[in-house]
Amino acid sequence: MDTSQMSRIQDDFDASLKTVEDARSLQDLKVRYLGKKGEVTGLMKEMRNLSNEERPAYGQKVNELRQHIDAAVEEKRAEIEAAALEERLKSETIDVTLPGRTFNIGSQHPISRIIEDIEDFFLGLGYEIQEGYEVETDYYNFEALNLPKSHPARDMQDTFYISEEILLRTHTSPVQARVLEARGGKEAVKIICPGKVYRRDSDDATHSHQFTQIEGLVIDKNIHMSDLKGTLELFAKEIFGGEREIRLRPSFFPFTEPSVEVDISCFKCKGAGCSVCKKSGWIEILGAGMVHPNVLRMAGYDPDEYSGFAFGMGPDRVAMLKYGIEDIRHLYTNDLRFINQFKQTEDGGETLESL
Ligand code: DAH
């Protein structure tokens, strides 16, 4: 029996095994020796050419070679797997001493916040929120509010006209006219209308061609000036603090009669006089009045049966007063350094000291 061939095969295998580095080439090597057409399998096939005496010893030798290869392959496989696991553990190690990743929480824009606060207050009093159109007709923006064409009071609101009859609304008051008309002259109305408005103003620290307003309207039987006053007093205390008082001064708006300008006592100096209230102790915050009979009539309401009050205010101005913002342009120029000052803490509290 010639065993030199077997020794050669084993030596070759041992040498090849040393160069194997991954599971795939290990498998290829195994197939080369033990596969169907492998070298060891070839030796097995030789058995049939041997005599009965030679066969057992030969078979044993081939078997030994086969077991040697099998064991060596398995050992190598375990080595490769252990190395791969080691590698993976190394790459996935978590360094628990590293600081956590912070993520940025945005902050609500001060105008949105003021609008939400005001909405919450009026919703609590049973008002509905109504929205109209930023592109309006001359009729709802002016005529239905007792401002016929060529009325001199139109000059108070310099207007962006799109065509002769279509414009960008100059105030939120047209929502009043639309809602009244839609209610058909019969139902009571209790609404606030927040939204954007537009005027042909040159932008500066206190003027902007686009800003926000909130309109309020209450119509029912037996609504009096005292209802308006009580509502606005509660409003002032809610938004500007419990000790605030209000003061009504006579004014003029075509859609209300009588009309008033409403001031609140200064929240900064408590009435003593400071730069916020221009030393007067009072700050003007809105316009209001009893709805003009012409406005009621045009919408189909009988002014002898129904009466009501209306008011209009600017959340931009309220935000500026409340947060001490000196230039209205900060509200629109999207400077993150400005907006980030209004971040809320995780528990919903506020971080700006002046709030
Ligand atoms: N629309 C007015 C303006 O933009 C504000 C206003 C004043 C609205 C009195 C009202 C009101 O509803 O009664 O200047």
Side-chain angles (χ1 to χ4, degrees):
M1 182 174 70
D2 177 13
T3 54
S4 65
Q5 200 189 357
M6 286 189 211
S7 315
R8 185 197 48 80
I9 291 177
Q10 181 160 342
D11 291 347
D12 278 357
F13 168 79
D14 288 346
S16 305
L17 188 65
K18 287 206 180 97
T19 66
V20 164
E21 277 176 357
D22 56 51
R24 200 196 178 112
S25 39
L26 181 65
Q27 182 62 18
D28 289 346
L29 185 67
K30 185 177 175 181
V31 169
R32 206 161 90 214
Y33 288 89
L34 305 183
K36 255 193 217 152
K37 292 181 186 155
E39 300 209 33
V40 177
T41 321
L43 291 177
M44 290 290 230
K45 285 181 189 152
E46 301 272 314
M47 289 239 279
R48 72 185 111 127
N49 304 328
L50 296 178
S51 66
N52 283 347
E53 296 76 48
E54 279 176 319
R55 218 174 270 155
Y58 180 86
Q60 196 187 344
K61 284 269 170 217
V62 178
N63 248 336
E64 277 167 18
L65 175 59
R66 186 197 178 93
Q67 277 160 10
H68 167 79
I69 292 175
D70 240 344
V73 164
E74 283 322 304
E75 195 183 321
K76 188 79 180 180
R77 195 189 306 283
E79 241 171 61
I80 290 171
E81 278 170 10
L85 181 65
E86 180 85 356
E87 187 66 24
R88 209 172 122 203
L89 285 176
K90 230 189 255 166
S91 71
E92 289 178 5
T93 348
I94 295 169
D95 182 352
V96 289
T97 64
L98 282 175
R101 270 187 213 141
T102 54
F103 48 92
N104 247 333
I105 301 175
S107 47
Q108 199 179 19
H109 193 280
I111 295 182
S112 308
R113 213 147 118 196
I114 292 287
I115 291 177
E116 271 180 28
D117 286 351
I118 296 175
E119 283 177 348
D120 281 350
F121 169 74
F122 283 104
L123 285 170
L125 293 185
Y127 285 64
E128 295 167 53
I129 298 176
Q130 288 284 340
E131 285 179 355
Y133 306 108
E134 288 172 34
V135 178
E136 243 321 343
T137 61
D138 183 276
Y139 176 77
Y140 289 110
N141 195 79
F142 290 127
E143 283 188 58
L145 294 165
N146 203 27
L147 273 147
K149 293 227 161 70
S150 78
H151 191 292
R154 284 193 178 207
D155 294 346
M156 285 159 70
Q157 304 185 356
D158 213 348
T159 310
F160 285 116
Y161 277 93
I162 290 167
S163 69
E164 225 166 275
E165 292 302 325
I166 298 178
L167 45 79
L168 294 183
R169 69 177 176 194
T170 54
H171 50 180
T172 43
S173 305
V175 189
Q176 283 189 33
R178 283 185 175 275
V179 171
L180 280 177
E181 191 183 80
R183 301 281 159 100
K186 294 260 173 301
E187 286 170 51
V189 176
K190 208 170 164 187
I191 54 167
I192 54 162
C193 327
K196 294 194 185 89
V197 302
Y198 302 84
R199 297 215 187 150
R200 282 182 51 164
D201 264 331
S202 307
D203 293 356
D204 62 24
T206 52
H207 294 86
S208 169
H209 61 282
Q210 183 220 294
F211 52 102
T212 55
Q213 280 194 339
I214 297 184
E215 191 80 9
L217 175 71
V218 173
I219 300 289
D220 207 339
K221 293 173 181 164
N222 296 314
I223 299 287
H224 305 287
M225 193 87 178
S226 52
D227 298 309
L228 171 64
K229 199 173 169 197
T231 304
L232 294 180
E233 203 167 307
L234 268 181
F235 162 78
K237 290 183 192 304
E238 172 74 19
I239 301 295
F240 293 99
E243 318 96 79
R244 295 293 81 72
E245 284 169 37
I246 62 164
R247 172 176 90 168
L248 307 190
R249 282 179 291 113
S251 184
F252 171 79
F253 299 104
F255 27 90
T256 45
E257 181 58 37
S259 302
V260 290
E261 211 97 55
V262 181
D263 301 336
I264 56 165
S265 53
C266 182
F267 48 83
K268 188 91 184 232
C269 64
K270 319 258 184 279
C274 68
S275 60
V276 174
C277 60
K278 302 199 184 81
K279 305 232 179 313
S280 72
W282 294 94
I283 303 170
E284 184 192 323
I285 53 157
L286 54 85
M290 300 307 290
V291 177
H292 197 290
N294 284 352
V295 172
L296 289 170
R297 226 175 271 122
M298 273 185 276
Y301 280 80
D302 177 357
D304 292 330
E305 206 184 334
Y306 283 93
S307 57
F309 63 77
F311 55 85
M313 66 180 98
D316 307 45
R317 184 167 154 72
V318 174
M320 288 171 78
L321 286 169
K322 191 164 170 176
Y323 302 133
I325 300 163
E326 270 146 26
D327 192 321
I328 195 170
R329 288 169 292 197
H330 285 315
L331 295 170
Y332 299 101
T333 39
N334 294 334
D335 186 335
L336 282 178
R337 289 169 304 180
F338 169 75
I339 295 181
N340 282 339
Q341 295 178 79
F342 297 89
K343 275 218 160 88
Q344 283 181 302
T345 56
E346 269 168 32
D347 59 4
E350 292 161 326
T351 55
L352 204 66
E353 272 178 16
S354 62
L355 297 189

